[in-house]
Amino acid sequence: DSGVTQTPKHLITATGQRVTLRCSPRSGDLSVYWYQQSLDQGLQFLIQYYNGEERAKGNILERFSAQQFPDLHSELNLSSLELGDSALYFCASSTSPTDTDTQYFGPGTRLTVL
Amino acid sequence: GQSLEQPSEVTAVEGAIVQINCTYQTSGFYGLSWYQQHDGGAPTFLSYNALDGLEETGRFSSFLSRSDSYGYLLLQELQMKDSASYFCAALMNRDDKIIFGKGTRLHILP
């Protein structure tokens, strides 16, 4: 158990819908990262937040957005969902924004878009 | 473009040693991390190299050569529980994005 929690564990929705994935980092970790993992694309870095502020951006689509709240939990919002958005979404945390080398991953949310 | 290349699959025998290679083409490279992921599980951090050379952590070691844009993960005394996918990940300029390789699936034979 990494100490990072993610909810929900599974999510099934339809195309065109919007969903919110939630992540709580390890106690004391200020940095949160979001990743998408699909069979054909592998593990893709989406976005990083540190202490409420966006720190780095990866291959995140415009239909996706994220934020980190004052209590340090983070939410990833996915809208206008497409079949291709079906994937595992992982959240990870680290102590500082520069500790990108050591990240602790949550168990993931499996999103299925029908 | 920026990319990391690693073999898609590697097979080894229990008790043996296996090396998983990773070559990268990136700008602003800062360091190389390795993660293990079992089927249905989340990635877990194994090792990190910011400097050239070998880093050893128990049965796992990782190596980096910046001049060759190359690194590897070495697993010794293989156990069946080491059957998993292994990802290398390049850190860019320490405050920028992270790029993952597509992963190497390690099969271990008894």
Side-chain angles (χ1 to χ4, degrees):
Chain A
D1 184 356
S2 66
V4 178
T5 60
Q6 289 186 249
T7 56
K9 192 166 182 155
H10 300 278
L11 197 49
I12 302 174
T13 188
T15 54
Q17 295 298 305
R18 172 189 168 95
V19 297
T20 297
L21 313 184
R22 183 188 167 104
C23 167
S24 292
R26 291 187 323 155
S27 177
D29 283 358
L30 300 178
S31 208
V32 169
Y33 311 77
W34 284 99
Y35 295 88
Q36 179 193 59
Q37 187 174 36
S38 58
L39 282 174
D40 56 341
Q41 292 293 322
L43 202 59
Q44 300 277 321
F45 167 65
L46 297 178
I47 198 164
Q48 177 199 1
Y49 278 83
Y50 174 73
N51 205 20
E53 299 289 326
E54 183 183 304
R55 174 111 182 141
K57 215 169 200 178
N59 300 322
I60 188 165
L61 300 172
E62 285 191 14
R63 300 184 286 108
F64 296 0
S65 65
Q67 59 184 128
Q68 187 179 27
F69 295 86
D71 67 352
L72 301 176
H73 91 272
S74 179
E75 292 181 358
L76 179 67
N77 300 295
L78 315 176
S79 61
S80 302
L81 285 167
E82 302 174 359
L83 295 177
D85 297 327
S86 294
L88 257 176
Y89 290 84
F90 287 106
C91 159
S93 73
S94 66
T95 307
S96 78
T98 54
D99 279 344
T100 50
D101 52 5
T102 309
Q103 298 181 30
Y104 298 89
F105 282 75
T109 293
R110 182 172 292 282
L111 173 67
T112 303
V113 182
L114 302 174
Chain B
Q2 305 191 84
S3 65
L4 286 84
E5 296 292 328
Q6 49 181 132
S8 58
E9 289 185 272
V10 170
T11 300
V13 179
E14 190 177 16
I17 299 173
V18 72
Q19 179 174 310
I20 299 173
N21 299 321
C22 175
T23 56
Y24 57 88
Q25 282 188 315
T26 61
S27 56
F29 175 85
Y30 189 86
L32 194 71
S33 291
W34 288 91
Y35 288 83
Q36 177 193 61
Q37 185 179 28
H38 286 98
D39 283 348
T44 55
F45 172 78
L46 290 177
S47 187
Y48 172 68
N49 296 73
L51 304 175
D52 283 1
L54 194 67
E55 291 283 341
E56 296 181 77
T57 311
R59 294 188 297 115
F60 294 178
S61 304
S62 58
F63 173 83
L64 178 66
S65 168
R66 288 171 169 270
S67 58
D68 295 323
S69 297
Y70 163 76
Y72 66 72
L73 179 70
L74 191 74
L75 295 83
Q76 303 182 74
E77 300 172 19
L78 285 171
Q79 302 175 10
M80 297 304 292
K81 68 178 182 179
D82 298 329
S83 294
S85 291
Y86 293 84
F87 295 87
C88 56
L91 278 60
M92 319 302 294
N93 291 324
R94 200 139 175 87
D95 57 354
D96 205 347
K97 59 185 181 181
I98 304 145
I99 303 171
F100 277 79
K102 290 196 181 297
T104 298
R105 190 165 186 87
L106 174 61
H107 302 280
I108 298 177
L109 304 176

